[in-house]
Amino acid sequence: MRVRPTVARVDLGVLKANYRAIADHLARQQPSRPPGVIGVVKANAYGHGAAQVGRALEDGGADLLACADIEEGAVLRAAGVRAEILVFGALSVSDLDGLFDGRLTPTISTPGAARAVQAAAARYKQRVRYHLKIDTGMNRLGFRFDNLRRTLPEVLGSPNLELDAVFTHFATADDPGSALFDEQRRRFELALADVAALGGRPRYRHAANSAAVVRDPRVWFDRVRPGLLLYGIVPPPLESAIALNPVMTLTSRVVAVKGMRAGEITGYGGRFTASKPTTIAIVPAGYADGLDLRLAGRGAVLIRGQRAPIVGSVCMDMLIADVTGMDASPGDEVVIIGRQGNDKIDAREMAAAIGSIPWEIVCRVGTRIERVYG
Ligand SMILES: *Cc1c(COP(=O)(O)O)cnc(C)c1O
């Protein structure tokens, strides 16, 4: 098989170790009733590869995975995943046959979704277990927490639907100063009481994304839903004592090295002018591979154990790094995300350099880049 110089290595052993580290942390903190872990593998497992990541998590003990839509659930089933699969997304305009073909667990987050899934379940003559989503202040999907007595009776009374779990999602879990986070917890507790008063008997409750896992055991409830943490990245600006390591490294190789004279430019638009004799390295990875244009002038790569600033412009298929004084040559390894020598560049650092978030950095690693699993 031919592999381009630019590759994303995905270490499934590290992934499983992260999963275990999170589970162990939960068990240490709450030994009497440790919350379970829902492995979030939406968006092609945050760019890491849904099939491989899904199978590895299952192998590592995960009994519930979550994805964004029915089509992602079908990919996991096609990969041989047998664990339960929760679909987060709204289903009101989806082709629901996939739910039944894939034995997926739907989220019911709108009255329209409840009616659509009820009608489909009646056609299939099946009872479908579902997770009920409550909107406690994010104002995206979910039944409003303060209106459940009006909206829920029809859902709970649907003959082919069986309430399995109730959940909510935080808008500001990664903002330590946010009052809304605590308010959402309080509202979720009110909503749980309302669900019970209306006769709903869910088997379990869940609320915590990665930031909430790191931040506050009071929102762990019966299960937690980490995505980013599984991939070894702590949501900024939070820090965590959980022993996690990045699952993905992104590397390439220098394909050309050349000298520039003082006053010369490199790259489209001539945005970098050499102020002195300068050596640059050309790296075959560009915005078509998911690298952000804004890295030029802001980011760096590691070559020969040193930081080489990205200069000029990030092109479609290439970027340019300033390797003056580094003795770089064609063939040298280039680390875009990962470790080299005593230094590292992680998704948090790259995100901070361009005003983005680490979730986006890993999700956007392009389809042209081969994922090599180890
Ligand atoms: C994506 C997602 C998560 C995981 O979020 P992270 O911040 O990556 O941990 C959890 N719950 C829901 C509903 C999500 O959509």
Side-chain angles (χ1 to χ4, degrees):
M1 189 177 61
R2 276 173 287 195
V3 178
R4 290 195 173 85
T6 305
V7 293
R9 283 176 216 288
V10 175
D11 191 326
L12 298 173
V14 169
L15 174 80
K16 287 193 234 178
N18 290 344
Y19 176 85
R20 192 45 35 225
I22 295 165
D24 289 349
H25 173 76
L26 299 169
R28 261 198 314 278
Q29 302 286 313
Q30 279 181 11
S32 55
R33 268 187 95 242
V37 176
I38 301 173
V40 179
V41 297
K42 65 193 184 196
N44 196 29
Y46 290 42
H48 293 65
Q52 291 82 356
V53 165
R55 282 197 302 258
L57 287 175
E58 184 170 37
D59 190 44
D63 62 351
L64 177 54
L65 303 179
C67 61
D69 59 23
I70 292 173
E71 291 71 18
E72 288 186 352
V75 168
L76 291 165
R77 285 289 180 242
V81 169
R82 286 188 301 268
E84 186 179 351
I85 298 172
L86 172 65
V87 178
F88 282 144
L91 299 169
S92 45
V93 295
S94 302
D95 174 358
L96 295 178
D97 290 333
L99 274 185
F100 299 87
D101 294 343
R103 293 165 287 106
L104 309 177
T105 303
T107 293
I108 300 292
S109 54
T110 66
R115 281 179 213 124
V117 178
Q118 160 58 35
R123 266 200 317 279
Y124 276 86
K125 299 189 169 37
Q126 287 184 22
R127 238 172 114 72
V128 170
R129 292 197 306 185
Y130 68 98
H131 290 211
L132 176 70
K133 183 163 191 187
I134 309 290
D135 185 346
T136 53
M138 174 107 150
N139 282 311
R140 201 177 57 177
L141 289 178
F143 290 82
R144 279 193 71 102
F145 75 99
D146 54 2
N147 203 22
L148 296 173
R149 283 161 197 271
R150 254 209 306 263
T151 53
L152 270 200
E154 180 186 341
V155 184
L156 294 175
S158 303
N160 296 75
L161 300 184
E162 185 178 328
L163 178 64
D164 203 31
V166 180
F167 76 100
T168 193
H169 193 43
F170 292 108
T172 60
D174 56 354
D175 175 359
S178 166
L180 179 61
F181 178 74
D182 289 322
E183 186 61 22
Q184 284 197 262
R185 172 172 52 80
R186 211 182 50 79
R187 290 171 177 176
F188 187 48
E189 279 161 3
L190 290 174
L192 290 167
D194 276 352
V195 170
L198 292 165
R201 296 283 173 267
R203 284 195 301 142
Y204 57 96
R205 313 154 295 165
H206 51 95
N209 57 3
S210 292
V213 168
V214 169
R215 176 172 169 182
D216 190 348
R218 288 175 302 176
V219 298
W220 291 354
F221 296 98
D222 307 307
R223 288 201 178 225
V224 298
R225 302 191 305 267
L228 199 66
L229 287 183
L230 285 175
Y231 306 102
I233 307 166
V234 177
L238 305 180
E239 299 293 342
S240 170
I242 307 173
L244 303 170
N245 286 295
V247 173
M248 186 194 287
T249 57
L250 187 58
T251 61
S252 187
R253 290 194 175 276
V254 172
V255 290
V257 173
K258 73 168 51 157
M260 293 169 64
R261 296 188 180 150
E264 290 181 339
I265 65 96
T266 179
Y268 292 114
R271 289 193 197 87
F272 175 81
T273 305
S275 58
K276 55 179 191 332
T278 298
T279 311
I280 54 172
I282 312 303
V283 179
Y287 64 78
D289 302 298
L291 297 176
D292 197 287
L293 289 185
R294 291 168 293 181
L295 286 167
R298 296 189 182 86
V301 294
L302 300 175
I303 297 176
R304 299 215 163 197
Q306 295 177 67
R307 280 180 178 244
I310 299 171
V311 295
S313 51
V314 172
C315 314
M316 185 182 291
D317 313 309
M318 286 174 249
L319 60 80
I320 304 153
D322 184 342
V323 293
T324 305
M326 288 184 194
D327 207 19
S329 6
D332 283 354
E333 183 195 55
V334 179
V335 170
I336 302 169
I337 297 174
R339 280 181 180 284
Q340 193 187 61
N342 297 321
D343 207 350
K344 72 165 169 61
I345 293 172
D346 60 20
R348 271 174 73 136
E349 177 185 337
M350 186 184 275
I354 61 169
S356 180
I357 54 174
W359 293 263
E360 187 191 22
I361 298 295
V362 285
C363 281
R364 74 194 296 192
V365 170
T367 50
R368 185 165 71 179
I369 294 181
E370 181 113 26
R371 272 68 169 168
V372 176
Y373 294 90

